[in-house]
Amino acid sequence: MSWTKEFIELDKKQHDRASFDCGEPELNNFIQTQAAKHMQAGISRTMVLPALLPLPNQKLPICAFYSIAPSSICRDTLPAAMAKKLPKYPIPVFLLAQLAVHHEYHGNGLGKVSLVKALKYLWQVNAHMRAYAIVVDCLSPEAESFYTKYGFEVLCEHNGRVRMFIPMKTVGQLFEGR
């Protein structure tokens, strides 16, 4: 199976959420039952990479997706050298809330593609609404290893998960070569 060239906003009329299976029940449940509700409530945006060919139900399978939301962090969770340069009130960040690849596409580089697309999208949003960093809460040690490969650093433990971050300054260097 092959996929389209662009991530587009989740549309439950066009995209088959029920068939998505990345092997992680929490991520499957999110795309199948929560993503559209969260978008409707205005708390996050989910972007999907659809397959080229529709299923018998005429909906397009989802090959990969990411979900983003605005958030904030407490300056006390940052490394001391960074924290001393920031105000004492909550620091605005973007939350990369979910990122997953359907199990049929594992090993094809779609995890990296999805992450790069999410970072690029958030870099573009940052031009209009500034944030200090992008944070992600890792579901597993494998997820932590994945994000570490792409420049994320451990920030703290949050709700029993490792929270990682990448400063927007670093993201900007990736996309603008600064």
Side-chain angles (χ1 to χ4, degrees), residues 44-135:
S44 69
R45 185 168 193 206
T46 298
M47 304 296 287
V48 300
L49 183 66
L52 282 174
L53 300 175
L55 295 169
N57 67 6
Q58 297 307 306
K59 290 185 177 185
L60 294 169
I62 297 169
C63 302
F65 77 91
Y66 64 85
S67 184
I68 55 174
S71 191
S72 66
I73 55 174
C74 178
R75 144 187 151 146
D76 297 343
T77 63
L78 291 166
M82 289 180 169
K84 71 180 181 181
K85 299 175 187 176
L86 296 170
K88 295 187 189 224
Y89 51 81
I91 308 302
V93 297
F94 295 121
L95 175 65
L96 179 52
Q98 317 285 334
L99 187 148
V101 175
H102 192 291
H103 71 84
E104 289 183 21
Y105 301 96
H106 287 184
N108 288 308
L110 277 186
K112 178 181 179 180
V113 167
S114 301
L115 179 60
V116 168
K117 291 292 187 179
L119 294 177
K120 189 171 191 175
Y121 179 80
L122 290 170
W123 177 246
Q124 292 167 342
V125 170
N126 191 59
H128 305 284
M129 178 55 123
R130 296 285 184 191
Y132 179 72
I134 298 170
V135 297

Side-chain angles (χ1 to χ4, degrees), residues 3-39:
W3 50 86
T4 60
K5 294 183 180 186
E6 293 297 321
F7 278 80
I8 58 175
E9 189 169 85
L10 172 65
D11 180 342
K12 60 185 185 178
K13 293 178 184 172
Q14 292 181 16
H15 304 119
D16 188 68
R17 298 168 297 145
S19 66
F20 187 85
D21 181 8
C22 66
E24 177 60 57
E26 187 171 329
L27 293 170
N28 294 341
N29 182 58
F30 176 80
I31 193 68
Q32 293 166 359
T33 67
Q34 297 173 314
K37 291 176 187 172
H38 286 193
M39 286 176 42

Side-chain angles (χ1 to χ4, degrees), residues 136-152:
V136 61
D137 297 330
C138 298
L139 288 177
S140 67
E142 294 79 20
E144 185 179 344
S145 176
F146 171 79
Y147 289 108
T148 298
K149 265 194 314 194
Y150 298 106
F152 282 74

Side-chain angles (χ1 to χ4, degrees), residues 147-162:
Y147 289 108
T148 298
K149 265 194 314 194
Y150 298 106
F152 282 74
E153 300 174 42
V154 173
L155 180 61
C156 60
E157 188 169 307
H158 181 73
N159 294 331
R161 296 188 176 149
V162 172

